[in-house]
Amino acid sequence: MALSGLDGQLRGQALHGFYRSGVRTLARMELRLGGVEPLPLQGTLTSAAEARFVGAVRVPGDPDPDPALTVERLRHANGVETVTVRNTGVRPARIPLEITLGTDLGQLAEISAGQRLADLPGQVQSAGLRWAGPQHSASVAARPSPHAVLAGAGVLRWDLEVQPGARWSVELSTTLETTAQSGPRPPTGRGPGVPLPWSEPEVRCDDTRTAPLVARSLDALGGLLVADADRPTDLYAVSGAPWRFGLTAADALWAARLTLPLGTRLAAGTLRALARRQATTGPQAGVVPGPLRHGGPELPPSCTATEATLLFVTVLAEAWRWGLPRQEVAELLPAAERALAALRSNITDAPAPAPATSAAAAATADGAPSDGPSAGSPRAGATAGSGRAEAEGAPLGPVGFVTDLGRSAEDRAARPVPARCEVQAQAHRAALHGAELLEAFGRPGAAEWRSWAAGLRERFREQFWIDDLSGGRPAAALIAPDRPLPAVASSFVHLLDLGLAAEGDRHEGMLDREQTRVLAQRLATPEFDCGWGLRTLSAKSPRFNPLGHRSGAVRVHETVLAVVGLTEAGFEREAGILLEGLLDASAHFEGRLPEMYAGEQRVTGCPPVPHPSACRPAALSSAAAVHLVAGLAGVRPDVPSGRVTVRPASTAPLGELELGGLRVAGEPFSVRISRIGVAVVEEASPTLQLGTR
């Protein structure tokens, strides 16, 4: 990773520098010609991995008012930078070029927290400089070699003589060496020659904002891919740069799920990497680990392990529908059963049969036969800890809902946490997806999970819905029985994300049709829609903050989920309003949408306000671009039943759309949508039965 200002100078301030494996290999790289810095003219990304900076310098004593020298810097994230000086004047330019270098070899986590260590003393090495620390050493080598190296000042110097119309270039290569290895092996980059885990889509449509958005988003996502240290052929996406260059299970699963239209390889690699990290024994058995996440001003922080564990089941089921080979699904099924068992142990419900023993649960998770209730069944251990809590007089949280899979039953009983709206939607979807997998692979428990999901729907519609003068809304959370939290938040969009079901259909939602209509209308009002997308908290809330992570900023992937979910539910007018704002924002960000941006109300002539803490690129927002286009095209496969259905938006919000390069059943898939919303499949596997609207 490399970060600088738009002038291209690395000044050692803030996050400036080249980074590798979380270490700042170079903090300063300041260029001067004739003792002055070039006048910055342009700084831009040419791809996620490369930036270009252009500056100009007037030759001292030149009577011409136009600058005679231009300086171009091509910077690659791998630590290589090429500096080219061009002489467009009429006289030879004799001028010294000096590049000042320095580094502290600081850790990214410490630097992002505001720490700044002193630069290390430099040492002269062949063709450059070297710095040594307790655990790492870094070096910069120049080609051609400098005419002088001043180690004390950290300066490389060349005495240039550039003829009119000529150019001169130098390549600087930054490397990092580890002198003391500790801890687990870190993941590595995808590496040269390793193909991307998705097909390259071809997008042509009337809306000129769409194709650049998809292309640049995938370019950005490719820069966030790493190979798992335990199995380098398994790739997954880290959360984002510059703040979260590590594995966050929930974000990696979302990225894999949202890019399923381009193939199942990323999903398979992500699922395998997380299955190896899933707890298999103890109180956290079945849980996919994840860090805490800020919950906004209305709710306490939540553990992303809950979202990741539930999403694991959904991603496996949907990857199976898109064409993940049956053998690979079978290998991952025990991990999905363990995730379902973790969900089962979290349910605090009315009295139910006694939980399965830990030995029986482990046996079922490993795929062995079980005489009693399946470990994946919600009836087995559905009330683990709840009866004991009642007997001991401990406080009880919301009954019949899912809270926090990352905490033990005893901890949840002693210190109840709210049951969040989005968690219920994710648990409901995971239960239905789990039932489909269990049934298809001959495992017990499918009927029980469907029954539990139906009961959850009924309880949710009764207890989570708040009537008000605007027609009603879901509660953001249930704090305790009959105590809904009336906050109005963008987490509601997860109620519209129903998941891929058999025959390309959608699962039944947590809301009934009328409740969905009311929610759809509310999402498209200025209370939520700032003109660039959905705010994370209603603008009417006294705690609204347009720059708040969960209190008003626009999170791109949630807006995309709303657009696709509303379209699939038949509320295309509301979806179109949100879509237009999002595409306009993407144009302002040059097709490289950040993780989030400010939820300031849109003003004519003013672009969206960037968020100071947003990752850009971010896995979620990058992958969401694929989901947006494929969702509007309505491509919904069911490879196990040999069928793919295309139900595009009838209003054709992108105009005429030609979408190629998709993958269904591992084969190329292309579709064309007319301006009146009629779909024609132009390329598909001959083994698939086609259905269109």
Side-chain angles (χ1 to χ4, degrees), residues 24-116:
R24 180 153 62 181
T25 58
L26 193 65
R28 291 191 298 120
M29 182 188 283
E30 298 177 74
L31 183 150
R32 291 177 176 83
L33 272 172
V36 299
E37 295 187 10
L39 176 69
L41 302 177
Q42 185 184 66
T44 186
L45 287 174
T46 58
S47 74
E50 190 172 77
R52 178 177 183 262
F53 305 93
V54 179
V57 176
R58 293 193 66 226
V59 176
D62 194 336
D64 193 331
D66 299 327
L69 300 180
T70 59
V71 182
E72 179 189 67
R73 304 172 73 168
L74 293 179
R75 176 173 299 153
H76 198 281
N78 64 6
V80 176
E81 179 159 336
T82 302
V83 178
T84 300
V85 179
R86 294 183 178 87
N87 184 0
T88 59
V90 297
R91 300 189 308 171
R94 297 177 178 88
I95 192 169
L97 168 66
E98 294 181 340
I99 299 180
T100 304
L101 306 169
T103 188
D104 55 3
L105 292 177
Q107 297 288 328
L108 174 60
E110 298 171 352
I111 296 168
S112 62
Q115 298 184 27
R116 174 68 168 99

Side-chain angles (χ1 to χ4, degrees), residues 203-211 652-658 673-676:
V203 181
R204 292 183 293 274
C205 67
D206 292 340
D207 192 305
T208 58
R209 300 164 294 184
T210 305
L654 301 178
E656 185 174 8
L657 170 65
E658 295 180 34
I673 313 297
S674 72
R675 293 184 180 91
I676 58 173

Side-chain angles (χ1 to χ4, degrees), residues 390-403:
E390 288 181 305
E392 295 173 357
L396 277 176
V399 175
F401 297 101
V402 182
T403 54

Side-chain angles (χ1 to χ4, degrees), residues 319-417:
W320 173 58
R321 297 284 182 200
W322 278 95
L324 184 64
R326 185 176 178 86
Q327 179 58 37
E328 294 187 47
V329 178
E331 292 171 357
L332 288 162
L333 189 57
E337 289 187 289
R338 289 192 291 269
L340 289 171
L343 171 59
R344 174 215 66 210
S345 68
N346 184 270
I347 302 167
T348 55
D349 213 324
T357 65
S358 57
T364 305
D366 290 335
S370 172
D371 294 333
S374 166
S377 164
R379 293 182 59 79
T383 58
S386 61
R388 180 168 55 257
E390 288 181 305
E392 295 173 357
L396 277 176
V399 175
F401 297 101
V402 182
T403 54
D404 188 347
L405 273 61
R407 297 171 58 191
S408 66
E410 290 75 11
D411 187 22
R412 292 194 304 271
R415 296 185 296 112
V417 296

